[in-house]
């Protein structure tokens, strides 16, 4: 099993979470959605001795990408995001791509619904960074420009279906009863993941 460093940081006025992911063997790291206080993320990486090579962006909403440019200036990191992203990316990602953080394999899952350029990052089949797709006890909104409840249905019930119950999930916002969860716990307890047809789900997401 690969040794990795994972640190979660709450930032900004919208209960965002950003993350530091590092490979202990190579001391190479990535920042995931380092928004609002990018300097703090860079400092956190320095403290544990990680060289930041990548910024992994889950999607292009302002509250997730507003720190990217500062991190790039401070570290020289490259930005990875979905190929449909409208923000600056150095590496365009597609569903099924793998990006390596040191020796740690990170699989890209294309997971639209909340945002048309949304991806989740599955790290060594052990951790899933879910951005604004899946929160603890909730899922991302589908009433914003670029959102689509039918896409969200497919994302939650098809794309995320093979993710094992023991995979830890780390969301993009602190909206739940805890700061992280597991896929199994969410399947058991998250009302969004209850069994529904697509039509039922679309109607459910429209309820105020």
């Amino acid at each position: 099993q690969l040794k990795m460093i994972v640190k979660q940081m709450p930032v900004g006025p919208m209960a965002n979470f950003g993350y530091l992911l590092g490979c202990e063997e190579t001391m190479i790291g990535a920042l995931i959605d380092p928004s609002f206080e990018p300097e703090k993320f860079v400092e956190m990486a320095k403290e544990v001795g990680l060289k930041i090579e990548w910024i992994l962006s889950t999607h292009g909403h302002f509250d997730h990408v507003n720190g990217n440019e500062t991190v790039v200036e401070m570290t020289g990191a490259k930005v990875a995001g979905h190929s449909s992203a409208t923000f600056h990316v150095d590496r365009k990602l597609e569903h099924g791509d793998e990006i390596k953080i040191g020796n740690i394999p990170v699989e890209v899952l294309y997971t639209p619904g909340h945002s048309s350029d949304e991806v989740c990052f599955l790290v060594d089949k052990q951790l899933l960074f879910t951005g604004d797709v899946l929160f603890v006890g909730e899922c991302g909104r589908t009433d914003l420009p670029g959102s689509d409840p039918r896409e969200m249905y497919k994302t939650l019930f098809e794309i995320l279906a093979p993710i094992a119950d023991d995979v830890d999930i780390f969301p993009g916002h602190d909206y739940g009863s805890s700061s992280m969860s597991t896929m199994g716990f969410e399947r058991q307890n998250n009302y969004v993941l209850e069994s529904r047809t697509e039509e039922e789900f679309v109607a459910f997401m429209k309820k105020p």
Side-chain angles (χ1 to χ4, degrees), residues 140-151:
R141 291 170 59 175
T142 57
D143 60 344
L144 301 166
S147 300
D148 183 338
R150 291 181 191 279
E151 294 273 13

Side-chain angles (χ1 to χ4, degrees), residues 40-58:
K40 277 193 180 174
F41 288 94
V42 174
E43 189 54 39
M44 184 161 65
K46 267 192 193 143
E47 279 170 17
V48 290
L50 286 170
K51 178 182 181 345
I52 297 302
E53 289 197 348
W54 288 99
I55 297 165
L56 304 180
S57 290
T58 59

Side-chain angles (χ1 to χ4, degrees), residues 19-21 28-34 38 41-42 45 50-57 67-81 88-91 99-101:
Y19 297 91
L20 172 67
L21 170 68
I28 285 169
L31 295 174
I32 299 162
D33 292 354
F41 288 94
V42 174
L50 286 170
K51 178 182 181 345
I52 297 302
E53 289 197 348
W54 288 99
I55 297 165
L56 304 180
S57 290
N68 284 10
E69 284 180 18
T70 303
V71 172
V72 169
E73 282 167 20
M74 291 178 75
T75 66
K78 294 203 169 357
V79 180
H88 168 79
V89 295
D90 300 291
R91 179 164 168 188
I99 190 163
K100 278 277 188 75
I101 307 303

Side-chain angles (χ1 to χ4, degrees), residues 166-207:
D166 62 354
V167 168
D168 290 327
I169 71 157
F170 292 98
H173 290 271
D174 188 6
Y175 287 165
S177 54
S178 61
S179 61
M180 58 156 302
S181 186
T182 65
M183 206 66 214
F185 185 86
E186 293 307 305
R187 287 191 178 112
Q188 291 287 318
N189 298 283
N190 190 330
Y191 73 130
V192 171
L193 296 178
E194 286 169 19
S195 183
R196 293 179 177 90
T197 65
E198 185 177 324
E199 295 309 320
E200 287 169 342
F201 182 81
V202 169
F204 160 76
M205 290 302 287
K206 282 191 178 144
K207 284 183 193 155

Side-chain angles (χ1 to χ4, degrees), residues 9 15 24 28 31 95 119 144 158 160 167:
M9 185 164 11
E24 278 195 19
I28 285 169
L31 295 174
H95 183 75
V119 290
L144 301 166
E158 292 177 31
L160 298 187
V167 168

Side-chain angles (χ1 to χ4, degrees), residues 78-148:
K78 294 203 169 357
V79 180
H82 188 253
S83 59
S84 67
T86 53
F87 59 96
H88 168 79
V89 295
D90 300 291
R91 179 164 168 188
K92 293 183 173 182
L93 302 173
E94 301 291 354
H95 183 75
D97 282 357
E98 183 179 279
I99 190 163
K100 278 277 188 75
I101 307 303
N103 296 331
I104 298 170
V106 179
E107 184 186 345
V108 177
L109 305 176
Y110 179 47
T111 51
H114 170 72
S115 168
S116 59
D117 64 351
E118 182 106 32
V119 290
C120 292
F121 297 107
L122 180 60
V123 180
D124 197 27
K125 302 215 179 322
Q126 297 177 54
L127 324 172
L128 185 68
F129 292 96
T130 55
D132 285 5
V133 174
L134 188 62
F135 302 125
V136 177
E138 200 39 276
C139 75
R141 291 170 59 175
T142 57
D143 60 344
L144 301 166
S147 300
D148 183 338

